[in-house]
Amino acid sequence: MTTPTLCVCNAVDTLHDFAVRADDVDALLSECYAQQDQALFWGPLDKMLITYEPIGDLDWQRKFLGLDGVVNLSPAVRTGSLFADTLADPGLMAAVVAYAGPGRRLRLIPHTTTTDLWRFVEVLRTRHGVVVELPESSPQQGLRDLLDTKTGLRDLATDLGMTDGPCRIPPGTHCSGKHEVPEAVRGMLTTGTPCIVKADRGEASLGLLIFRPGDDDITERLAASRFYDEDPVVVEEFLDGDIGFPSVEYMVPADAPPHLCYTTDMLFEGATHLRGNVTARELRDRWWYRPLTEGGLRLAQEMQRRGYRGRFGIDAIARDGVVYMHDLNARRTGSSHVHEFGEHLIGPDYLDTHAVGNYDFYGLPAGLDLPEVLRLLGRLVASPRHAARGVVPTELTDLPTGRLSCMFYASSLAELHDLIVGARTALGLDR
């Protein structure tokens, strides 16, 4: 008997307490909540999804992509912890228990392993007799939380001697709080080195501050930001110029060696605004591929030795023959679904024949709905079950705010980029 899979799409839980410092927190969280829709492609296609709110236009996606086995439920209230909200909803808990079936077992895939996950698992076991398998959750919660910080990556890489070599962390330093930041910034600027200031537990590019030689407003800008207090801060070299933005994701099992899941090329608008990800066989020929995947494997092996389990991703900047690792996400990432979209809907060897990616379009009219999106995109829209290339509108929960995310697939990376340009034009964003 196959163990039923439950995906809890808590993509915002670790961001929530940090994001509430932002001026436009409601708009920011609305955009981030829509990432829940990515879980349509996590794990097996047949599963129960618990999301912050019902996935937008799910019936269309079920029919268009053949996702008949997806069950989607949401808690009655939303407090910032999806596991806690699920526990507080008796009807939802009853549905989860029923989904476990006669075997009284579930396979749980979260976006992020949080402390509330363990309480959720314990309640299922003790009150409902349901055993939960956790293939992607690290039993050492403190280790996971530490590795998910900016200082956690820098300390881990330093322990492995990865402050030099073809794959390394950028030059920089830790600050115990914002009071130490001005001196650290000035120290880098006096050497002619631009730098970037990052909150230790920051996510989604929130609060990043970039300083260049000649800037004299360090103290003022730092004081004006709501994202810095007495928590640790990282100040490191800001890498610009002729650069690339590769990323990589690994799986660290409990009883087998860590393995590479995929690599992507991240698509940015400006220095800090991530808009999409692409994965393709052509990436294996990029000069950064070998140092990044070998360096990432070193981290994965050491993380496993320390007791980490589950997925993690590394975001990097490639410049002048060196790969600089600047962020480690000890969880699923914003590109996990890109790889699984390809595996499920094209095939396990999809990279032999296809490039796959996602892209987020901003600035569309508020109140936009799916029928109008389908009209605008026209014949570009096609299911990979029936076509060799196409565009698939996804993450539709946030569509009424004017943001549309789409999946793209084509026979090559160049053709995929052409599809993205074609979709932008069709949506009227080049006018």
Side-chain angles (χ1 to χ4, degrees), residues 347-360:
D349 299 320
Y350 72 96
L351 285 177
D352 293 341
T353 56
H354 283 76
V356 178
N358 73 304
Y359 199 87
D360 300 336

Side-chain angles (χ1 to χ4, degrees), residues 14 113 138 140-156 159 174 200-201 232 303 306 308 327-330:
T14 55
T113 298
S138 178
Q140 295 189 38
Q141 186 66 44
L143 174 65
R144 192 225 74 87
D145 293 346
L146 175 63
L147 291 170
D148 206 39
T149 64
K150 305 299 184 287
T151 54
L153 166 61
R154 293 187 64 86
D155 287 341
L156 175 65
D159 290 347
H174 301 183
D200 195 36
R201 296 189 179 277
M303 289 166 65
R306 296 185 185 190
Y308 184 82
D327 202 12
L328 189 156
N329 298 302

